[in-house]
Amino acid sequence: MLSYQHAYHAGNFADIHKHWLLVLLIEALSRKDKPWCYLDTHSGRGKYPLDSDIANKTAEWREGVGQIWKHAGKAPESLQSFIQLLGVSDGIGGQEYPGSPEVVKKLMRPNDRAVLCELHPQEFEWLKKHYRHCSNIHLHFRDGFEGVLGMVPPPEKRGLVLIDPSYELKQDYQRIPAYLEKLRKRWAGACVAIWYPVLAEARHNVLLEGVRKSSVHNVLRSEIRKKNVAKGMVGSGMLIMNPPWKVDQTIEAGWSFLVESLQLDDRLSVAVDWLKPEQNA
């Protein structure tokens, strides 16, 4: 059983990057009246109190959501929904950070649906506590890679898959490109977001090269790097397969704020580029 628990890291700079992009993707899906389905391979517990002993053992949130709260008044339009979701008011934030399930819950419409997979027993108990009474959120205590693949395409035919493992298993960097190929064969039109850590050891390059060599196309990349950090997790990356129309422009519009508020290395960070363009582009 894997030991990773995100509560120690909730609200850090990588979460800000990941969840801002998640908000942009969900909002893009919601521009049409037709319902969508969100599927999460590694949900975590959904909500993370920042005043807990666990959160303050590392206090990583202070360099993430803490900085967003501090600079919220300067945020451009493309970050406003995300900042409102964080509960920011007059530069003061709430005491709870929303993980991916909570972000999606706050943005769901009555006819939309979410499917959350989690295999860590303790994390799944928290998921049940938070969401078992939500009729349009379905919980699965199972391996998310296997679970999501077995549930696509959903009846809604429109939607988003978030692939967000802990990468405790180094083979995840190698398995995800092949997994994307399987997903595409079963649900060709799905938007798929893949988060990955940027480590000093550059293990993520195995993932990026695997996607480049795979049969999938139409994949955007967004990647941030912290300033003056040379060990451990030095950045955060997100790949987006089948991105919504013009989402790259929306990311660009909010990039300067993200760079300044999180003190990113603008030279090494990549707002957005095409890791694999459309096949006929």
Side-chain angles (χ1 to χ4, degrees):
M1 174 57 63
L2 300 180
S3 60
Y4 179 85
Q5 293 185 59
H6 192 63
Y8 289 97
H9 313 285
N12 66 6
F13 74 94
D15 266 2
I16 298 302
H17 180 227
K18 171 173 59 183
H19 293 135
W20 172 48
L21 298 183
L22 179 60
V23 168
L24 296 183
L25 297 177
I26 293 293
E27 287 188 328
L29 282 172
S30 298
R31 291 192 188 111
K32 293 184 178 180
D33 293 335
K34 294 181 180 179
W36 46 257
C37 181
Y38 167 82
L39 300 103
D40 196 330
T41 61
H42 299 77
S43 295
R45 64 181 62 180
K47 301 179 185 180
Y48 301 91
L50 298 180
D51 57 354
S52 68
D53 291 340
I54 290 178
N56 285 297
K57 186 172 183 178
T58 60
E60 291 181 16
W61 65 268
R62 296 184 186 276
E63 297 303 315
V65 68
Q67 295 302 310
I68 300 298
W69 291 339
K70 183 178 179 180
H71 300 284
K74 302 177 182 178
E77 179 63 28
S78 62
L79 278 114
Q80 289 300 322
S81 295
F82 176 54
I83 287 174
Q84 290 175 15
L85 185 145
L86 293 176
V88 176
S89 176
D90 297 325
I92 301 173
Q95 290 301 309
E96 187 173 72
Y97 185 81
S100 301
E102 187 67 10
V103 167
V104 173
K105 180 190 174 186
K106 289 177 179 293
L107 297 174
M108 292 175 76
R109 303 164 301 179
N111 292 332
D112 298 326
R113 193 165 59 94
V115 179
L116 309 179
C117 296
E118 178 55 56
L119 193 56
H120 192 292
Q122 185 177 341
E123 298 297 274
F124 189 74
E125 286 302 313
W126 279 105
L127 269 185
K128 289 197 296 183
K129 179 180 178 180
H130 293 147
Y131 304 111
R132 63 184 173 187
H133 298 303
C134 300
S135 61
N136 57 347
I137 297 179
H138 307 277
L139 309 178
H140 294 267
F141 180 49
R142 65 194 294 188
D143 172 74
F145 283 115
E146 171 270 326
V148 167
L149 199 61
M151 290 184 279
V152 298
E156 294 85 354
K157 304 298 182 183
R158 303 177 63 241
L160 167 66
V161 176
L162 176 63
I163 300 173
D164 182 21
S166 67
Y167 294 92
E168 281 184 276
L169 298 175
K170 295 179 183 178
Q171 58 262 42
D172 284 345
Y173 296 102
Q174 299 169 320
R175 73 185 293 192
I176 287 175
Y179 186 75
L180 289 178
E181 293 181 319
K182 293 177 182 178
L183 267 178
R184 183 179 59 83
K185 289 179 180 178
R186 297 197 181 192
W187 191 13
C191 178
V192 183
I194 307 97
W195 179 83
Y196 59 91
V198 178
L199 305 177
E201 299 89 344
R203 294 174 189 159
H204 65 287
N205 285 337
V206 173
L207 168 61
L208 300 184
E209 189 60 24
V211 173
R212 288 190 185 101
K213 292 180 178 178
S214 74
S215 63
V216 303
H217 291 82
N218 199 20
V219 181
L220 280 178
R221 173 182 63 153
S222 177
E223 195 171 288
I224 64 175
R225 301 286 187 107
K226 290 287 286 180
K227 284 183 179 178
N228 304 318
V229 178
K231 61 181 181 179
M233 189 168 76
V234 301
S236 163
M238 184 81 95
L239 301 181
I240 306 171
M241 186 173 76
N242 296 331
W245 186 55
K246 290 187 176 182
V247 73
D248 52 338
Q249 297 178 24
T250 310
I251 296 170
E252 289 276 12
W255 196 250
S256 293
F257 173 81
L258 205 70
V259 169
E260 293 173 9
S261 60
L262 297 183
Q263 300 179 37
L264 304 179
D265 188 326
D266 198 22
R267 182 178 59 87
L268 294 177
S269 297
V270 178
V272 63
D273 66 2
W274 286 102
L275 185 75
K276 282 284 288 286
E278 290 186 79
Q279 195 165 12
N280 296 322

